[in-house]
Amino acid sequence: MTDAFEPKITAFVCNWCTYAGADLTGTSRIKYQSNVRVLRLPCTGRIDFMLLAKAFARGADGIIVSGCHPNDCHYTSGNYHARRRWMVYRDLMDFMGIDTRRVTFSWVSAAEGARWAELVNEVTTSVRNLGPYAEYKELALAGVE
Amino acid sequence: MDLRAKSRELLESGAVKAVIGFKDGTMGARRPVFVRQADKAAALVFDEGCRQNLAAYLTRNEVQKMGRVAVAAGPDTLRAILQLMAERQIKEGDVLPLAMEGTEAVELPTAQAVEEHLALKAKELPAADRELLARLDAMTREERWAFWQGELARCVKCYACRNSCPMCYCGHCTMDCNRPQWVPVPSHALGNLEYHMVRAMHLAGRCVECGDCGRACPVGIPVHLLTFHAEESVHRQFGQRAGASSRLDYALSTFRPDDKETFIR
């Protein structure tokens, strides 16, 4: 096989900040790695931890979760709730042996188009170095009859 | 007063409709019993072998229809009762906790009395669990993954851990939800990992650390460590413990603007 490994990154972003920020990246004609698949949700508060598990099960090598900075939530407190959830979930993932280096949490506002490009590039590079998430992919095959 | 005498008194006076406690089972084991008649109170026993968390019965429909019930309760059961009150699943007046001191039963008629009683009891995890948690902490991530994959490979998804848990009372559990099918039904590696992940997350901030899920497991998986860890994580980061008060807010549906984390970029 001569093809170099290209990671699949799933990004769960909120509609109001990071999605708009990613939009700004595009309209600003900033180039960034094309490994990311963006999934827009109403708010980070909507991002159930199971969505992350499902992304890994469906073959993601890395995950980005991003939303509004604290105090900037469109729904006032969705990101605060999300933050608490990630604080516990990340801890639990680590305890169960899931590779937390593959999950990046971030705040990217609608004005931070350049920041989004930077984030995606950083994550893509680091996950490319980590290689495919073989452990989890092997596990996911158990579900295929 | 002795548990048997106390139960007889409560049932005779009609103060409670039933006393939930333990009686002799087979092979020296203890099993739960619902005593509904005063003359049956003599069957009640309470000792080291009475480990099951009887609070799990309190949210059942048929039990709630009975009227006021008394429960012979150790510290873990008392914590579970407080947590169920905090989650508005049982009302203060509907349950009469009987705190057990040896075979002596102390009536704790109010949530406040339970809280005061528990304040005197230090919460400590069993030594074996602390040891295993420390061992897991010392492992590398890869070793922890291998450990849990090895343990969870034995899981047959019987849901005994869920059913034994006083906090797992949802009428419609995520596990039974098939539109969308969140967690695969068969007990293969992926389904098992996801099931135990969901269980631990749904109990984070709610687990009273009684360890009944681990004892209920027929294949001996230390599933209670997952909920312990999630609960300890909540305690460490948000400074609250499930079962401490009947007026506790759920840690994951509240927040403080200054919650401190180190990983969000």
Side-chain angles (χ1 to χ4, degrees):
Chain A
M1 222 164 76
T2 53
D3 287 346
F5 164 66
E6 279 303 328
K8 279 188 191 143
I9 314 280
T10 309
F12 294 95
V13 303
C14 88
N15 179 35
W16 303 97
C17 291
T18 307
Y19 191 83
D23 217 10
L24 181 66
T25 320
T27 50
S28 313
R29 309 266 172 207
I30 300 171
K31 281 196 173 173
Y32 62 94
Q33 309 263 0
S34 59
N35 302 56
V36 70
R37 274 75 166 167
V38 176
L39 294 170
R40 177 173 61 158
L41 288 121
C43 177
T44 38
R46 164 65 182 87
I47 305 173
D48 192 290
F49 62 91
M50 277 307 286
L51 294 176
L52 275 61
K54 290 290 160 191
F56 277 140
R58 294 293 180 91
D61 300 298
I63 294 175
I64 296 173
V65 180
S66 182
C68 310
H69 287 271
N71 263 335
D72 282 349
C73 181
H74 184 79
Y75 307 102
T76 317
S77 60
N79 54 358
Y80 287 127
H81 287 103
R83 180 166 69 181
R84 278 211 161 186
R85 189 182 312 141
W86 304 135
M87 285 164 78
V88 177
Y89 186 53
R90 193 171 180 277
D91 220 18
L92 182 69
M93 281 198 290
D94 190 49
F95 184 67
M96 295 184 89
I98 295 167
D99 195 348
T100 48
R101 293 172 300 176
R102 295 176 184 274
V103 190
T104 307
F105 300 94
S106 176
W107 308 129
V108 174
S109 82
E112 295 176 317
R115 169 90 190 89
W116 172 251
E118 212 175 274
L119 178 74
V120 171
N121 287 338
E122 277 171 28
V123 170
T124 307
T125 310
S126 84
V127 175
R128 190 180 283 128
N129 292 336
L130 288 172
Y133 198 1
E135 284 170 342
Y136 214 103
K137 283 191 212 290
E138 199 179 300
L139 196 73
L141 281 179
V144 182
E145 296 299 322
Chain B
M1 200 191 283
D2 176 69
L3 174 64
R4 290 173 188 171
K6 171 62 81 184
S7 304
R8 200 175 305 119
E9 184 189 291
L10 287 168
L11 288 164
E12 262 165 8
S13 70
V16 299
K17 293 279 183 259
V19 176
I20 313 178
F22 293 91
K23 66 171 183 177
D24 280 331
T26 48
M27 316 259 290
R30 301 286 183 244
R31 60 188 295 186
V33 61
F34 280 61
V35 176
R36 307 181 69 168
Q37 286 143 347
D39 57 349
K40 300 270 173 66
L44 288 166
V45 289
F46 202 89
D47 58 24
E48 288 296 295
C50 304
R51 305 292 297 280
Q52 196 177 325
N53 194 333
L54 298 176
Y57 290 111
L58 298 176
T59 50
R60 298 275 190 89
N61 258 334
E62 58 271 34
V63 178
Q64 296 206 325
K65 276 189 208 138
M66 273 181 190
R68 194 168 189 233
V69 293
V71 187
D76 289 331
T77 306
L78 291 175
R79 284 189 191 94
I81 289 172
L82 283 183
Q83 183 61 22
L84 287 172
M85 285 178 186
E87 296 180 9
R88 315 276 198 285
Q89 295 304 311
I90 52 178
K91 286 199 208 84
E92 208 172 339
D94 290 350
V95 176
L96 177 64
L98 301 175
M100 298 304 298
E101 304 276 5
T103 56
E104 297 294 295
V106 184
E107 262 185 74
L108 300 173
T110 61
Q112 200 193 339
V114 179
E115 281 162 29
E116 282 163 12
H117 176 85
L118 282 174
L120 306 172
K121 312 249 171 232
K123 171 80 205 171
E124 202 175 51
L125 299 182
D129 292 339
R130 266 180 312 179
E131 212 168 274
L132 191 50
L133 279 171
R135 216 181 87 206
L136 278 159
D137 267 348
M139 286 181 186
T140 63
R141 182 198 64 79
E142 287 81 0
E143 286 167 348
R144 269 198 300 276
W145 175 262
F147 172 85
W148 283 114
Q149 287 306 307
E151 292 289 330
L152 297 182
R154 299 202 301 280
C155 177
V156 290
K157 281 238 194 90
C158 65
Y159 297 138
C161 41
R162 178 187 71 176
N163 295 351
S164 69
C165 180
M167 297 310 143
C168 277
Y169 51 72
C170 293
H172 192 71
C173 176
T174 310
M175 292 307 126
D176 307 326
C177 170
N178 53 11
R179 275 188 189 195
Q181 179 91 56
W182 275 110
V183 177
V185 175
S187 55
H188 53 52
L190 181 67
N192 288 353
L193 179 79
E194 288 186 351
Y195 165 51
H196 290 283
M197 186 191 284
V198 171
R199 204 181 72 83
M201 269 307 279
H202 286 183
L203 285 165
R206 305 175 55 236
C207 170
V208 293
E209 301 182 334
C210 66
D212 247 13
C213 44
R215 283 192 288 277
C217 183
V219 291
I221 303 170
V223 287
H224 56 295
L225 294 187
L226 294 168
T227 53
F228 283 14
H229 183 86
E231 178 60 29
E232 290 301 317
S233 175
V234 166
H235 174 66
R236 194 180 62 249
Q237 303 188 87
F238 313 130
Q240 65 177 61
R241 239 183 227 298
S245 151
S246 63
R247 291 173 310 281
L248 190 76
D249 286 329
Y250 174 39
L252 297 187
S253 70
T254 50
F255 65 88
R256 276 198 306 266
D258 56 349
D259 283 331
K260 283 276 169 295
E261 42 63 34
T262 52
F263 58 88
I264 302 183
R265 295 208 257 169

